Structure formats: structure tokens, C-alpha cells
């Protein structure tokens, strides 16, 4: 793949998160009824866009790329973010292949006052096949921490991903579950500060990845808690 195209798509992933800027500082005005809807939206962003293939890297394999996820509009009851407005997050993600079809990865980013750090493991369910039109599948477990001056969240995601060995543009499907613990820190409504809420939601993802030599880019759609998200990623994998 021309390096200029990978570079352009990488900038596009970063631009996606910037273009969908959300004013997360409005969380200072969180009301009690908005805690769970806001936490659920945040958890969905943290749990989306981390996987675009079920093919393990293999021992000493490496992947370095950018990930971006954006939700088309806030959930009902989420009064923190602007109604009917796109909002999102962006990450840098590094992955390494280990023995026994296991991949490990770490991720992090800072966007509009939110700092995110996390990582996880993937496990290939059967021997890897690079034969055309074969299916690979893997289990995924991931954890993230998100910190903002007005809130703190711990997020867990578990799921399964399948990808199909179709030349040039390989589709993938995923099913997962997000668990999020959300805690307001400093609010206009003082009694709510430090109150913990717990939310969970299932998610379904479909997308495709294009791979060219050492580079790739991918895009997908995720449906979760009656909302749709778009995911984009680009990077180098070897």
C-alpha cells in the first residue's frame, strides 16, 4: 500500500475524533438522571474500535496504530452532550504477538480533557489459517480507565471477533459486552459527587479491513443500547 495513503488515513482517524469534539466539561452539571445514560455512552466509546481482525499476530508480531470511535448522538437522558450531535474518542494502540495464539495490547489517549489508559488480551480459538475464504476467531478481554476533572470511569469489555480471509478487503464481525463503573468527582450538585453507578450493554460490530503489505486501514459500525457508533483504525502490522 502506498505509504501516503496509510499516512492520510491515520490522520483521518485522528481527525475523526477531533471533528466530533464534545464538550465533556459539561459533566460538571450532571444531574442524577443523567449519570447512567452518560456512563453508558462513555463505556460504549471505550469498548468500540479495538479490533479489526481475528487473525493473531503470531509470536513477536507487532501492530502499532490509531483508533477512533464516535457515537452519532447521545442516549436518551444524557443531557451532558449536545442533542443529536456526534461525539467520540481517539486512541493510540500497540499490540504484540505471544505464543499459543495470544496477543497482548495496550492503548491510551487524551482528548478534550479525558485521559484514557488500558489494555487487554486476545486468544485465537483455533489454529490460524491464512488460506483464502477461511474464518479466524478469537476471544477478547479488555480494561480501560478514563479520568476527567469531573468524573472517573473504569471499563471492562469482553467479546468474540470473527474475520474472513477475503483478499484486499476482509470483513469482520464482533459481539461484545461492556461493563462500566462511573463516579462523578466534582459537580454543581454536591450530594452526587462520589456517587458510583454501574451500567452494562451488549454491542454488535460489523466492518472491513484493507491490508497492503505492512499497512492497513479499517472501518466499521457498532450498534449498542439503541445507538450506532462508527469506528476507524489505521496502522502498521508485521
Amino acid at each position: 500500500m502506498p505509504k501516503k495513503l496509510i499516512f492520510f488515513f491515520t490522520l483521518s482517524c485522528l481527525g475523526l475524533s477531533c471533528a466530533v469534539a464534545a464538550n465533556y466539561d459539561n459533566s460538571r452539571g450532571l444531574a442524577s438522571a443523567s449519570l447512567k445514560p452518560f456512563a453508558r455512552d462513555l463505556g460504549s466509546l471505550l469498548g468500540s474500535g479495538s479490533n479489526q481482525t481475528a487473525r493473531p499476530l503470531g509470536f513477536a508480531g507487532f501492530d502499532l496504530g490509531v483508533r477512533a470511535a464516535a457515537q452519532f448522538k447521545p442516549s436518551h437522558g444524557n443531557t451532558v452532550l449536545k442533542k443529536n450531535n456526534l461525539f467520540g474518542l481517539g486512541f493510540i494502540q500497540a499490540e504484540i504477538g505471544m505464543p499459543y495464539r495470544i496477543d497482548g495490547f495496550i492503548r491510551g489517549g487524551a482528548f478534550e480533557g479525558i485521559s484514557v489508559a488500558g489494555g487487554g488480551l486476545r486468544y485465537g480459538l483455533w489454529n490460524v489459517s491464512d488460506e483464502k475464504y477461511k474464518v479466524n476467531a478469537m476471544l477478547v478481554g479488555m480494561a480501560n480507565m478514563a479520568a476527567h476533572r469531573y468524573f472517573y470511569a473504569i471499563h471492562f469489555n469482553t467479546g468474540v471477533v470473527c474475520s474472513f480471509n477475503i483478499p484486499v478487503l476482509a470483513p469482520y464481525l464482533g459481539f461484545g459486552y461492556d461493563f462500566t463503573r462511573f463516579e462523578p468527582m466534582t459537580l454543581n450538585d454536591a450530594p452526587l459527587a462520589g456517587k458510583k453507578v454501574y451500567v452494562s450493554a451488549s454491542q454488535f460490530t460489523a466492518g472491513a479491513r484493507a491490508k497492503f503489505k505492512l499497512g492497513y486501514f479499517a472501518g466499521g459500525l457498532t450498534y449498542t443500547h439503541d445507538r450506532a457508533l462508527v469506528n476507524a483504525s489505521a496502522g502498521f502490522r508485521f
Side-chain angles (χ1 to χ4, degrees), residues 54-56 100-102 122-129 135-140 159-162:
R55 202 276 190 209
Y100 306 109
R101 303 190 303 276
I102 297 174
R122 304 191 187 101
Y123 172 69
L125 291 179
W126 52 76
N127 289 333
V128 176
S129 173
V135 177
N136 290 314
M138 59 171 39
L139 298 176
V140 182
V160 60
V161 180
C162 297

Side-chain angles (χ1 to χ4, degrees), residues 159-228:
V160 60
V161 180
C162 297
S163 62
F164 307 88
N165 296 341
I166 296 177
V168 183
L169 197 63
Y172 64 91
L173 296 172
F175 169 77
Y177 213 81
D178 293 308
F179 306 86
T180 307
R181 190 192 78 177
F182 180 86
E183 180 179 350
M185 303 300 290
T186 304
L187 299 176
N188 290 336
D189 188 351
L192 291 181
K195 178 181 178 179
K196 298 180 180 67
V197 296
Y198 300 84
V199 295
S200 60
S202 57
Q203 58 167 260
F204 303 87
T205 299
R209 183 187 70 146
K211 186 177 185 299
F212 301 86
K213 295 184 179 179
L214 299 181
Y216 68 88
F217 61 84
L221 288 172
T222 297
Y223 181 79
T224 178
H225 65 274
D226 297 324
R227 286 294 181 266

